[in-house]
Amino acid sequence: MNNTDPRAMNTVQGFELFAALSDEQAEARIIEARARLGKRVVLLAHHYQRDSVYRHADFTGDSLKLARLAASTDAEFILFCGVHFMAEVADIMSRPEQTVILPDLAAGCSMADMANLEKVERCWFELTNTLSTPDTRITPVTYINSAADLKAFCGEHGGIVCTSTNAPSIIDWALTRREKVLFFPDQHLGRWTGYKKGIPLDQMAVWDPDLENGGLTTKEIEHARILLWKGHCSVHQMFQVEHIRNWRAHHPDGFVISHPECNLDVCRESDHVGSTEFIIETVAAAPSGTHWLVGTELNLVNRLAERLEPQGKVVKFMSPTVCMCPTMMRIDPQHLAWTLENLANGNVLNPIRVPAYEAERARTALTRMLETF
Ligand code: 13P
Ligand code: SF4
């Protein structure tokens, strides 16, 4: 580095300087910046991150594990390689003097965007008209894949957050307190969880936020134990039960494992259903020589297949079409190098800061989850 090198100056370097870097060049800059930052920064990565990002992580995990890691790290900066709602959780659960950075602010989650505060408040208002006292009859449960203000809504209304790992215990918790659950934004996780608890399908009504009263009659709302918000994951909706049946025809002794964001038929036909961490642990612990069909994002599946091949395990992706999460993919080595190098130069780019009034109520709902399950 010399005196004219922008890396030696305290000026913000624009992304355009990094966009043209090859992955190898970006990697070298990442390594150099991390060496300068040392223990001041911890890099957390979700399992859907591409390899060229994932390999730099200090810790990897599913959303529950990453939330716990963010709450327990001492690092001054948490560089979050995941999507926006995960970085928000990290900000809410970390200490005020810590800063969470999301390398690309466009890394959102299309499922999380299917619910927003305006629509959820309108839903609650409409439920008030129908059930008169929703706060005593319904527990709002938000999947962690949601914006911070929806977690705050749950905190305020006696509700809670859940993840794909703990959804069954959270639904139990919710239904022992009040007779009904309003579950948002993923109808599939809610339906699968309710189904496993033995709740009949006709007692799980879909609430369409774009229709008056969710498109339901008063009788249907009264009859429902779980109101399922009409949201879904665009990646997991690609997996279909035919993919499983076709594969089983050739691998009758094989095992199928899926994420609970898949539809009910796919979950029902799977041998195991669980979070990304659960999927990795289950396949990794299986006997050598076993065959697996996996229904979740492609980066995870490819990495697992490569890792377990030497053990004689064959791991296949469930869909014939490529299903990567386009928003997780926004985090690339170039954005990582850009944010890390600026950070090493004293410039904090892309900090995620949930407003205090919102964070406090969201923390209530998150803490209920983290302390109970
Ligand atoms: P996990 O919590 O299982 O990692 O899932 C997060 C997610 O967004 C899956 O699409
Ligand atoms: Fe959101 Fe689906 Fe991507 Fe998960 S895979 S982050 S639910 S869009």
Side-chain angles (χ1 to χ4, degrees), residues 317-331:
F317 184 61
M318 191 180 284
S319 168
T321 40
V322 172
C323 309
M324 278 159 168
C325 172
T327 46
M328 286 275 183
M329 287 293 283
R330 303 284 316 196
I331 312 294

Side-chain angles (χ1 to χ4, degrees), residues 40-277:
R40 291 178 66 204
V41 66
V42 66
L43 209 146
L44 304 184
H46 186 263
H47 294 307
Y48 291 166
Q49 291 293 299
R50 59 176 87 199
D51 284 351
S52 51
V53 167
Y54 197 78
R55 72 168 69 106
H56 295 290
D58 294 304
F59 300 101
T60 60
D62 61 10
S63 11
L64 181 64
K65 187 171 161 194
L66 293 173
R68 290 196 193 284
L69 285 163
S72 62
T73 179
D74 285 330
E76 189 181 342
F77 299 103
I78 301 170
L79 211 112
F80 208 108
C81 297
V83 288
H84 195 267
F85 72 81
M86 296 178 179
E88 280 188 333
V89 169
D91 179 53
I92 294 165
M93 298 314 296
S94 56
R95 294 193 307 277
E97 64 274 19
Q98 295 176 294
T99 302
V100 177
I101 292 171
L102 183 64
D104 185 347
L105 293 177
C109 163
S110 56
M111 176 210 280
D113 293 343
M114 288 178 192
N116 61 37
L117 188 59
E118 193 190 331
K119 288 182 177 184
V120 169
E121 279 181 337
R122 198 179 68 223
C123 164
W124 204 249
F125 175 76
E126 289 174 338
L127 288 171
T128 310
N129 288 338
T130 322
L131 301 174
S132 68
T133 52
D135 272 297
T136 58
R137 298 187 65 189
I138 310 180
T139 309
V141 177
T142 187
Y143 187 23
I144 196 164
N145 297 38
S146 57
D149 55 4
L150 293 184
K151 296 181 176 86
F153 176 91
C154 289
E156 198 175 352
H157 292 276
I160 194 163
V161 178
C162 78
T163 73
S164 53
T165 302
N166 57 28
S169 327
I170 299 278
I171 292 289
D172 283 342
W173 180 93
L175 285 174
T176 51
R177 274 159 182 75
R178 299 176 190 166
E179 71 193 75
K180 296 179 195 295
V181 163
L182 171 64
F183 191 93
F184 46 86
D186 185 19
Q187 60 173 303
H188 298 299
L189 175 64
R191 187 178 292 110
W192 169 245
T193 309
Y195 172 81
K196 288 294 280 178
K197 307 234 143 277
I199 298 175
L201 291 177
D202 72 325
Q203 290 180 23
M204 294 192 274
V206 174
W207 182 278
D208 184 340
D210 295 324
L211 298 176
E212 197 179 330
N213 286 328
L216 299 172
T217 61
T218 303
K219 203 169 154 205
E220 285 168 329
I221 294 172
E222 281 288 0
H223 185 63
R225 299 223 44 220
I226 306 186
L227 291 162
L228 301 167
W229 193 266
K230 196 178 175 198
H232 66 270
C233 165
S234 52
V235 178
H236 290 86
Q237 73 164 358
M238 304 293 278
F239 304 117
Q240 296 301 324
V241 78
E242 294 72 43
H243 303 148
I244 300 180
R245 290 183 185 153
N246 291 342
W247 185 82
R248 283 213 199 271
H250 298 100
H251 302 90
D253 298 327
F255 300 96
V256 179
I257 188 163
S258 304
H259 195 277
E261 288 172 16
C262 294
N263 71 48
L264 182 66
D265 290 342
V266 167
C267 291
R268 267 205 290 223
E269 294 254 347
S270 299
D271 300 295
H272 307 273
V273 177
S275 79
T276 54
E277 188 82 11

